Amino acid sequence: MSGQPVPIPPTRGTTLDISSLPADASPSSLWDRLSTWASENKAVVYSIAGVAVVITGAGVVYYLNNSRGEAKAEEKRRASKKERRKAKKEKEKEEIEKDTAPTKVEESEPIKKQPTVEAEPAEELPKVDEATVDLLSDQERKEFATKLKIAGNKAYGDKSYNEAIELYGKAILCKPDPIFYSNRAACYNALGEWDKVVDDTTAAIALDSEYVKALNRRANAYEHLERYSEALLDYTASCIIDSFRNDQSAQSVERLLKKVAEAKAKVILEAKEKKLPSPTFVTNYLQSFRPRPPPAGLEETAELDEETGKGQLQVGLIAMATRTGDGFENASASFDKALELGDLGEYEGFAYNMRGTFRYLRGENADALEDLSTSVKLQPALTQSFIKRASMHLELGNREAAANDFEQAMEQNKEDPDIYYHRAQLHFILGEFAEAAKDYQKSIDLDRDFIFSHIQLGVTQYKMGSIASSMATFRRTIKNFDKVPDVYNYYGELLLDQQKYQEAIEKFDTAVEMEKQTKPLGMNVLPLINKALALFQWKQDFQEAEKLCQKALIIDPECDIAVATMAQLLLQQGKVTEALKYFERAAELSRTEAEIVNALSYAEATRTQLEVQEKYPQLASRLQGMGGGIGGPPMR
């Protein structure tokens, strides 16, 4: 999820893009790992009985798990503009069913070639109403219905929609036919009478449950009526019936998933309790800054009264150092109390920095910005406050304000390596990899002992396509930081991306063992999750992968990455209902609206597939046939 605040340390757990993103950019964390790999490598993120759904920066995209679908998409991409224009015109011409096309219910009858039938003048059209229709023979009804439909088509083409509505209505009297209902719905659609569109398309679907055009028209009407969940259900059913060959319908699913998720996200945010994210999250954010000793006078050995503002600052710093969930909660409370007690003297700017940091982590963005702004006024030399405020501006999509904060920080201390490291994060997020590499290198030149600058440089080189340079950077970093688990974890991720599974798992195992030895109470669970993904991708070992995710959740129950990965694994096995619960849990754990939307998009895609299979049971077996089973391609 994009929930990791900017700046984001490499230990957040993304594979290629290990930085957090602002709300208007692509999702990060697990979502970035899954969707970026899917878009770049054409891999499927997860399969619901053969249908893949990928979260991207624009929303959710469905893929069919067969080569024919991919070949068709490739062929379409190669189509010339002229061909696309021609196809568009043909589609417009076909908006109303052709007069010579047999209806679905007539397909079992022999289709005889018929001469072209011209629309008859209005005075020559059959005179039909509810009183006279019963007097007609079956053959007369069919003939009258055909003539009335042809006349309706002509009226529609002339944009005489009310006349067309009357003609289709008479045709329906003669012969209730799904095409007639759908065509009349198209007239109501042109007039913007959405409830009537729903009524007529529902009648058409009752006659032919797999009538794609009627499903799409009803979905469009539902969308205009802001009944997004119902629209999503219809578009999804349409996609399944069409075997996901209709790009327009697939794009509609994507759009609706986003709308449904956004609407639900707003409700969740309004009711959501502001609290700190998982200890893994908070730890990785804090360690994205170089470790510095407490301000002089606030050391653990200093004798301070806990009932004073300075004493509470000291208590907060000690609690923060435990790197546990309780420790972080206690630290946050202590920083709040320190400012309430006041009398902080030279530490006031630092106190606002720390309270702003934890407010930011809780998602209290407005209050956090105010605290960090107060901090830079009171203590401009504390460059960390400028950097954190830049992170917030970037997350809110204000690139200019973020860049300005970095400039102000450099005016205070141009030799602070943290400035260059976090400015590199900004460049990385924006895809400016060459500039990011320069700043990471500058950060290293100023301080070679901060491992994350080296790791991020290696990842940036990888993103730039310099694989050999990236691998060399990681090997050199392992040599210089051989006791730090993070470097093994991230090197393992790059090896996994190259499908060097055995080597990757060895690196994850090394990272896990080091985490156990160095941080038994606050273990980083990301190596466990990465190993789970590697085992699944390599050997389809669902059982072991699930065990590793469950272990991660025991250690850190609120780790969003572990929750989302568990959902992916369950979905790959066709355990859709169980997967849905984990996706909903991932939404609960999200910090920002963008994160919640991402998690809910997965959840809504899963829920909609379940609803389609319940409402249209005949489509369940078709889904199975599409994917050749539940498994699907490797999850990345």
Side-chain angles (χ1 to χ4, degrees), residues 50-160:
V51 179
V53 184
V54 178
I55 294 285
T56 67
V60 181
V61 183
Y62 279 72
Y63 291 90
L64 180 62
N65 296 344
N66 64 40
S67 57
R68 182 175 61 184
E70 293 179 3
K72 180 176 174 129
E74 181 64 24
E75 181 181 344
K76 181 176 179 182
R77 283 193 291 272
R78 293 175 180 172
S80 66
K81 290 183 179 178
K82 183 177 180 181
E83 290 171 329
R84 289 197 296 271
R85 284 197 298 269
K86 181 180 178 182
K88 183 178 180 181
K89 288 181 179 178
E90 290 176 351
K91 179 175 177 59
E92 290 171 352
K93 288 171 65 179
E94 294 171 358
E95 181 60 25
I96 288 292
E97 302 285 349
K98 300 304 180 186
D99 56 289
T100 55
T103 64
K104 182 85 173 184
V105 294
E106 294 171 333
E107 286 179 355
S108 60
E109 301 177 5
I111 300 172
K112 298 180 180 179
K113 187 173 182 180
Q114 299 178 1
T116 302
V117 181
E118 299 292 338
E120 297 188 20
E123 63 273 12
E124 297 179 17
L125 286 172
K127 306 298 183 183
V128 180
D129 57 31
E130 291 183 0
T132 60
V133 70
D134 290 336
L135 303 176
L136 301 175
S137 67
D138 289 345
Q139 185 60 35
E140 286 175 320
R141 288 189 184 195
K142 286 184 180 181
E143 292 174 358
F144 283 16
T146 300
K147 290 180 180 180
L148 289 163
K149 174 199 168 187
I150 293 168
N153 287 358
K154 184 179 185 303
Y156 179 90
D158 294 339
K159 297 186 178 180
S160 300

Side-chain angles (χ1 to χ4, degrees), residues 46 61 240 320 380 411 459 485 532 539:
Y46 69 79
V61 183
I240 296 169
M320 193 170 69
E411 289 173 6
V459 173
K539 298 182 178 180

Side-chain angles (χ1 to χ4, degrees), residues 594-632:
E595 297 170 10
I596 296 172
V597 168
N598 284 324
L600 287 177
S601 293
Y602 274 106
E604 289 307 312
T606 308
R607 190 195 323 280
T608 302
Q609 296 281 351
L610 285 171
E611 290 176 357
V612 166
Q613 293 183 51
E614 181 179 345
K615 189 171 183 179
Y616 304 98
Q618 75 275 18
L619 298 182
S621 59
R622 190 173 304 183
L623 277 171
Q624 293 280 352
M626 286 180 193
I630 296 296

Side-chain angles (χ1 to χ4, degrees), residues 175-387:
K175 178 186 173 186
D177 185 290
I179 289 178
F180 302 166
Y181 280 111
S182 182
N183 286 359
R184 190 170 68 176
C187 299
Y188 288 129
N189 184 88
L191 296 171
E193 298 185 35
W194 306 116
D195 286 317
K196 290 183 178 179
V197 174
V198 170
D199 290 342
D200 270 359
T201 50
T202 299
I205 295 164
L207 294 168
D208 180 359
S209 62
E210 296 191 15
Y211 192 0
V212 169
K213 184 169 287 188
L215 280 165
N216 286 339
R217 283 190 179 136
R218 188 172 69 176
N220 179 62
Y222 279 143
E223 188 170 358
H224 279 90
L225 292 168
E226 298 185 2
R227 294 163 66 175
Y228 298 132
S229 294
E230 291 157 287
L232 177 59
L233 182 62
D234 276 354
Y235 276 130
T236 303
S238 169
C239 282
I240 296 169
I241 293 167
D242 261 355
S243 299
F244 289 82
R245 289 191 293 263
N246 187 320
D247 287 340
Q248 187 173 354
S249 296
Q251 289 167 8
S252 296
V253 170
E254 175 183 337
R255 183 181 66 254
L256 264 297
L257 277 171
K258 190 168 186 286
K259 280 189 176 181
V260 172
E262 286 175 345
K264 291 190 175 184
K266 285 182 171 59
V267 174
I268 290 174
L269 269 179
E270 290 173 2
K272 187 176 179 63
E273 177 189 0
K274 299 294 185 182
K275 64 178 184 178
L276 291 175
S278 72
T280 298
F281 187 105
V282 178
T283 296
N284 291 328
Y285 175 73
L286 295 174
Q287 69 180 23
S288 70
F289 293 89
R290 284 165 169 79
R292 291 191 171 96
L298 296 180
E299 302 92 345
E300 188 172 355
T301 55
E303 297 183 3
L304 295 171
D305 184 352
E306 289 188 9
E307 296 305 313
T308 64
K310 295 174 185 177
Q312 281 300 305
L313 272 182
Q314 182 190 54
V315 169
L317 291 172
I318 294 171
M320 193 170 69
T322 64
R323 302 293 172 93
T324 64
D326 289 341
F328 290 136
E329 290 291 349
N330 292 337
S332 179
S334 293
F335 296 139
D336 286 344
K337 189 173 181 181
L339 282 163
E340 288 174 12
L341 292 170
D343 192 24
L344 294 166
E346 64 183 298
Y347 305 117
E348 189 174 5
F350 176 75
Y352 276 105
N353 173 294
M354 296 312 300
R355 187 175 73 174
T357 298
F358 279 86
R359 283 180 165 181
Y360 175 34
L361 290 166
R362 283 197 299 266
E364 300 170 355
N365 291 341
D367 292 337
L369 269 176
E370 184 178 346
D371 276 354
L372 293 170
S373 295
T374 302
S375 178
V376 298
K377 289 177 183 176
L378 292 171
Q379 193 177 347
L382 185 57
T383 56
Q384 205 179 87
S385 296
F386 284 108
I387 296 170

Side-chain angles (χ1 to χ4, degrees), residues 316-550:
L317 291 172
I318 294 171
M320 193 170 69
T322 64
R323 302 293 172 93
T324 64
D326 289 341
F328 290 136
E329 290 291 349
N330 292 337
S332 179
S334 293
F335 296 139
D336 286 344
K337 189 173 181 181
L339 282 163
E340 288 174 12
L341 292 170
D343 192 24
L344 294 166
E346 64 183 298
Y347 305 117
E348 189 174 5
F350 176 75
Y352 276 105
N353 173 294
M354 296 312 300
R355 187 175 73 174
T357 298
F358 279 86
R359 283 180 165 181
Y360 175 34
L361 290 166
R362 283 197 299 266
E364 300 170 355
N365 291 341
D367 292 337
L369 269 176
E370 184 178 346
D371 276 354
L372 293 170
S373 295
T374 302
S375 178
V376 298
K377 289 177 183 176
L378 292 171
Q379 193 177 347
L382 185 57
T383 56
Q384 205 179 87
S385 296
F386 284 108
I387 296 170
K388 290 176 179 177
R389 191 171 70 176
S391 302
M392 290 203 65
H393 285 313
L394 187 57
E395 187 172 296
L396 296 171
N398 194 341
R399 178 181 177 179
E400 185 176 344
N404 184 55
D405 273 339
F406 283 121
E407 288 299 321
Q408 291 186 68
M410 291 180 70
E411 289 173 6
Q412 294 297 323
N413 181 6
K414 64 180 181 180
E415 299 300 310
D416 183 348
D418 272 345
I419 298 172
Y420 298 96
Y421 173 76
H422 291 290
R423 190 173 70 174
Q425 298 285 71
L426 181 151
H427 289 308
F428 187 97
I429 290 166
L430 298 171
E432 300 164 353
F433 299 123
E435 294 302 313
K438 290 179 184 177
D439 273 349
Y440 286 132
Q441 187 59 58
K442 177 68 173 178
S443 177
I444 291 169
D445 293 340
L446 290 170
D447 176 14
R448 307 192 69 84
D449 294 334
F450 187 62
I451 187 173
F452 298 124
S453 294
H454 298 272
I455 291 175
Q456 284 283 55
L457 177 60
V459 173
T460 303
Q461 291 168 334
Y462 194 92
K463 291 287 284 185
M464 293 171 69
S466 301
I467 309 301
S469 297
S470 173
M471 296 295 100
T473 297
F474 269 95
R475 286 192 292 271
R476 184 168 57 251
T477 305
I478 286 178
K479 181 179 179 181
N480 295 330
F481 298 89
D482 62 327
K483 303 299 182 184
V484 181
D486 303 271
V487 65
Y488 295 95
N489 180 51
Y490 282 90
Y491 187 36
E493 290 193 347
L494 297 189
L495 291 169
L496 180 58
D497 188 60
Q498 298 171 64
Q499 299 183 2
K500 298 179 179 179
Y501 302 115
Q502 185 62 53
E503 293 178 66
I505 288 174
E506 289 173 1
K507 295 296 181 291
F508 297 142
D509 283 337
T510 300
V512 168
E513 289 305 312
M514 287 185 174
E515 288 284 351
K516 289 178 181 177
Q517 294 171 13
T518 59
K519 294 176 281 185
L521 297 179
M523 177 181 170
N524 188 333
V525 298
L526 298 180
L528 288 170
I529 300 168
N530 281 328
K531 182 179 179 182
L533 289 172
L535 287 171
F536 164 77
Q537 185 180 333
W538 184 20
K539 298 182 178 180
Q540 298 283 295
D541 191 343
F542 290 107
Q543 186 175 5
E544 186 60 27
E546 279 190 39
K547 284 182 181 178
L548 289 166
C549 284
Q550 292 288 11

